[in-house]
Amino acid sequence: MSPFAKLVILILLAEFSQNVDAYMRGAPPEACADMEPQHGPAPQTTPAPYTITPQQNAIEQDGTVKVTIQGKSPKGGFMGFLFMAVNPEDSSSKPLGRFINSPYQARSVDCLPGEQNALTHRDAKSKNNLELTWQAPPDYQGEIEFRCTFLRDFSTFWLRVPASTLVRVGNSVVARPAETSSGVSLVPMVTVFDYFVWRIWFWTPEAQPQP
């Protein structure tokens, strides 16, 4: 093999090694559009061996919800992931909200024009259970679907796996009857008052029993 051919091979190997190392540290911002790892073969078509479980199904605007991503079996870990929240009725799948207080194994990704609106892995160590905290936008009202691309290894992945349930964002306060400062409903008191007014109004001496 000529020295030139050896040099070309070394350059290609170095470039490949850098790309692999970069992807081992998480998904690039270019993956925000379709959540694909942009490496390896096509995604798996079998049911994903992972789950996404929100701990609440309704929060207020600007509120937070914790979401758990995990393997379905004790040995069903994942090497990498890309996680975000989207409007299920929006075909653009633009990530909404932002992630806060993320665990060490996760780092934020800025999917422009937003900031910290996606999460990915920090390293290639196996993970089986992560609890992530998402904060809703202050001006959004509607349903949210959490989605995650899971990578079991460099070339085996499941694309855009949906959460087990949608999360409703909006005013979730249920109207209740008015209460006094002591916590007693006003309705029974008004009823009792009306009863005595009725008795006094229609009272006559003739209506009293004779001795």
Side-chain angles (χ1 to χ4, degrees):
M1 183 181 293
S2 67
F4 177 76
K6 292 181 179 179
L7 178 61
V8 170
I9 292 175
L10 288 174
I11 293 175
L12 291 176
L13 288 174
E15 182 70 18
F16 177 78
S17 176
Q18 290 179 359
N19 289 337
V20 170
D21 184 60
Y23 285 117
M24 297 288 253
R25 294 195 299 267
E30 291 78 13
C32 291
D34 54 18
M35 299 186 72
E36 293 194 15
Q38 302 182 358
H39 63 75
Q44 301 295 305
T45 57
T46 57
Y50 310 105
T51 61
I52 307 170
T53 309
Q55 297 183 11
Q56 298 169 250
N57 58 15
I59 60 173
E60 296 188 356
Q61 294 170 316
D62 206 31
T64 61
V65 57
K66 294 184 182 298
V67 187
T68 302
I69 60 175
Q70 62 183 358
K72 291 182 178 179
S73 66
K75 295 184 179 180
F78 49 93
M79 182 184 75
F81 67 93
L82 179 60
F83 185 73
M84 62 179 63
V86 302
N87 178 354
E89 298 182 357
D90 184 2
S91 59
S92 69
S93 298
K94 179 179 67 175
L96 299 172
R98 68 189 187 103
F99 292 93
I100 61 175
N101 303 326
S102 300
Y104 172 77
Q105 299 94 326
R107 67 172 181 85
S108 62
V109 179
D110 295 338
C111 294
L112 299 177
E115 295 181 350
Q116 299 179 344
N117 49 3
L119 286 180
T120 189
H121 53 284
R122 186 181 295 275
D123 55 48
K125 296 179 180 179
S126 181
K127 310 159 187 64
N128 192 64
N129 188 313
L130 292 179
E131 185 178 84
L132 312 172
T133 303
W134 179 77
Q135 184 173 26
D139 56 352
Y140 179 83
Q141 185 166 335
E143 291 184 326
I144 285 293
E145 182 178 71
F146 292 104
R147 296 176 183 172
C148 188
T149 291
F150 291 95
L151 286 82
R152 187 171 65 189
D153 52 50
F154 187 76
S155 59
T156 308
F157 63 94
W158 285 262
L159 188 63
R160 295 187 292 273
V161 178
S164 59
T165 182
L166 299 177
V167 174
R168 177 75 184 178
V169 177
N171 187 1
S172 59
V173 177
V174 179
R176 296 180 179 178
E179 295 184 349
T180 64
S181 58
S182 62
V184 180
S185 175
L186 292 175
V187 176
M189 294 183 65
V190 172
T191 303
V192 173
F193 176 76
D194 288 342
Y195 172 78
F196 281 106
V197 169
W198 180 84
R199 289 294 302 272
I200 295 172
W201 181 265
F202 290 99
W203 180 86
T204 60
E206 291 78 6
Q208 299 303 304
Q210 296 299 322

